[in-house]
C-alpha cells in the first residue's frame, strides 16, 4: 500500500518538474480584468513593466508612465504591437503636477480608474545608515512614501466613482530585514507596510482593497549591481531557500492576483515574492 503511494508520488513529481520550471516566465491571456482600467507607475522597465503587461494580458487597459517621454513612447509602442490596450504619459511620482496629469489623462483616455499599482521608488544613497545625507533621506521619503500616499489620496475619489477598486503598493523584503548599505530605502519600504495596514480599514468603507507586494531580489536594472556581481550574488543566493533570483513576471503574477477578485477577501496584507527569504518584522 505504502509502496504504491510513494510510486504515485514519484511519478507526480516527475510530471510536475517541467511545470515548476515553466512557471518562472508564466504569463496569462485571460479576461479576469476585462473592463478594468489600471495605472501602473514606473512602468517602462523592470517590475512595473511586467505588471503593466500582465494586467493588459488579463484584460485591463493600462496607463504606462515614468519620468522619461522616450521610455514611455517606446513601451507604449511595444505593448500596442502586442495588441495590448495601453496609453502613456510622463509622470515623475514626486511631482504633484505630473500625478495630476497621470490621473487626468487616464480618465480622459479610458473613462475612469479601477486599479492603482504604486511601483516607483528611489534610492540615491548606498552606505552606512547614520551617514545618510539629508537630501538623500528627503528624496527617498518624498518618492517612496509621500508620493505613494499622495497618489492613493488623489486616486481614491476616482475608484469610488466606479463603486470600488484595488490598490497595490510595491514594497520590498527590505521592509522586514533592512538591507545592508540601503538603510533609508529599507525604512521607507517598512513605512509602506504601515501605510497598507493603516489605509485598509478606511478604504474598506469605499469597497477599495489595498495590499502590498514585497519582492525579494528580482533581476532588473535596479538590482543589477548585486545580481551581476559574482561574489555579491553568491552571498545573496545563500539567503534564498530557492537558490535563485526572482523574475519580474513572478511579481506580475502576484500583483494580478491582488488586483483581481481572486483575492476578494484580502486587504491590508503583504504578499512576499522572494523564493523564501526571511520576511517577518
Ligand atoms: N529589483 C528588485 O530586486 C526589487 C526588490 C524589492 C523591491 N523592488 C521595488 O520594485 C519597484 C520597481 O523596481 P525595479 O527593480 O523594477 O526598477 P527598475 O528596473 O530600475 O525600473 C525602474 C522604473 O522606474 C521608473 N522610475 C524611476 N524613478 C521614477 C520616478 N520618480 N517616477 C516615476 N517613474 C520612475 C524608470 O523609468 P524612467 O527612468 O523613465 O523614470 C523605470 O521604468 C521599486 O519600488 C523597487 O523598490 C525591487
Amino acid at each position: 500500500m505504502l509502496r504504491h503511494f510513494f510510486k504515485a508520488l514519484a511519478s507526480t513529481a516527475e510530471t510536475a518538474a517541467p511545470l515548476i520550471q515553466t512557471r518562472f516566465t508564466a504569463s496569462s491571456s485571460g479576461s479576469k480584468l476585462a473592463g478594468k482600467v489600471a495605472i501602473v507607475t514606473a512602468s517602462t522597465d523592470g517590475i512595473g513593466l511586467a505588471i503593466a503587461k500582465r494586467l493588459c494580458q488579463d484584460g485591463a487597459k493600462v496607463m504606462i508612465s515614468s519620468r522619461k517621454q522616450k521610455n514611455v513612447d517606446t513601451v507604449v509602442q511595444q505593448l500596442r504591437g502586442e495588441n495590448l490596450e495601453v496609453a502613456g504619459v510622463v509622470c515623475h511620482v514626486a511631482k504633484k503636477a505630473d500625478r495630476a496629469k497621470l490621473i487626468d489623462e487616464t480618465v480622459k483616455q479610458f473613462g475612469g480608474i479601477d486599479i492603482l499599482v504604486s511601483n516607483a521608488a528611489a534610492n540615491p544613497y548606498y552606505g552606512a545608515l547614520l551617514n545618510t545625507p539629508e537630501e538623500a533621506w528627503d528624496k527617498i521619503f518624498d518618492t517612496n512614501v509621500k508620493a505613494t500616499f499622495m497618489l492613493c489620496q488623489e486616486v481614491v475619489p476616482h475608484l469610488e466613482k466606479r463603486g470600488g477598486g484595488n490598490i497595490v503598493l510595491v514594497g520590498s523584503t527590505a521592509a522586514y530585514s533592512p538591507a545592508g548599505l540601503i538603510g533609508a530605502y529599507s525604512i521607507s519600504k517598512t513605512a509602506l507596510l504601515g501605510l497598507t495596514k493603516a489605509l485598509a480599514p478606511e478604504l474598506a468603507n469605499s469597497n477599495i482593497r489595498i495590499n502590498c507586494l514585497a519582492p525579494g531580489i528580482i533581476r532588473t536594472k535596479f538590482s543589477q549591481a548585486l545580481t551581476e556581481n559574482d561574489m555579491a550574488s553568491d552571498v545573496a543566493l545563500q539567503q534564498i531557500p530557492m537558490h535563485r533570483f526572482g523574475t519580474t513576471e513572478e511579481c506580475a503574477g502576484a500583483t494580478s492576483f491582488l488586483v483581481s477578485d481572486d483575492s476578494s477577501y484580502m486587504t491590508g496584507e503583504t504578499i512576499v515574492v522572494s523564493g523564501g527569504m526571511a520576511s517577518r518584522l
Side-chain angles (χ1 to χ4, degrees), residues 41-48 65-68 71 91-94 119-121 143 170-173 185 189 215-223:
T41 65
S43 45
T44 59
D45 207 346
I47 293 170
S65 68
S66 76
R67 293 167 304 178
K68 297 181 195 119
N71 293 344
C91 175
H92 183 318
V93 294
N119 168 65
T143 308
V170 178
S172 168
T173 47
Y185 164 87
K189 293 294 188 177
I217 304 173
I218 310 298
R219 282 191 187 278
T220 66
K221 276 197 197 117
F222 185 78
S223 61

Side-chain angles (χ1 to χ4, degrees), residues 216-271:
I217 304 173
I218 310 298
R219 282 191 187 278
T220 66
K221 276 197 197 117
F222 185 78
S223 61
Q224 231 167 21
L226 176 66
T227 56
E228 291 183 10
N229 174 304
D230 284 349
M231 219 160 69
S233 64
D234 279 354
V235 173
L237 286 168
Q238 283 168 24
Q239 315 299 314
I240 304 173
M242 286 178 71
H243 301 301
R244 65 171 178 86
F245 300 121
T247 68
T248 56
E249 289 81 5
E250 287 169 320
C251 293
T255 307
S256 165
F257 166 72
L258 286 176
V259 303
S260 78
D261 284 345
D262 286 345
S263 61
S264 53
Y265 199 46
M266 283 178 65
T267 194
E269 298 298 340
T270 298
I271 288 192

Side-chain angles (χ1 to χ4, degrees), residues 184-218:
Y185 164 87
S186 302
I187 298 165
S188 76
K189 293 294 188 177
T190 312
L192 296 187
L193 302 181
L195 184 58
T196 305
K197 283 280 177 215
L199 279 177
E202 282 186 36
L203 294 179
N205 297 325
S206 303
N207 195 30
I208 296 168
R209 296 187 296 113
I210 178 167
N211 290 292
C212 184
L213 174 84
I217 304 173
I218 310 298

Side-chain angles (χ1 to χ4, degrees), residues 116-166:
L116 166 67
V117 180
S118 177
N119 168 65
N123 181 50
Y125 170 73
Y126 294 84
L129 176 58
L130 266 180
N131 294 338
T132 309
E134 186 174 347
E135 314 77 64
W137 182 275
D138 285 346
K139 184 171 181 179
I140 289 168
F141 278 80
D142 273 358
T143 308
N144 303 4
V145 185
K146 182 179 167 191
T148 301
F149 171 69
M150 296 313 301
L151 204 48
C152 291
Q153 193 182 65
E154 291 153 359
V155 160
V156 162
H158 295 276
L159 302 190
E160 284 173 333
K161 276 186 204 156
R162 308 272 271 200
N166 269 288

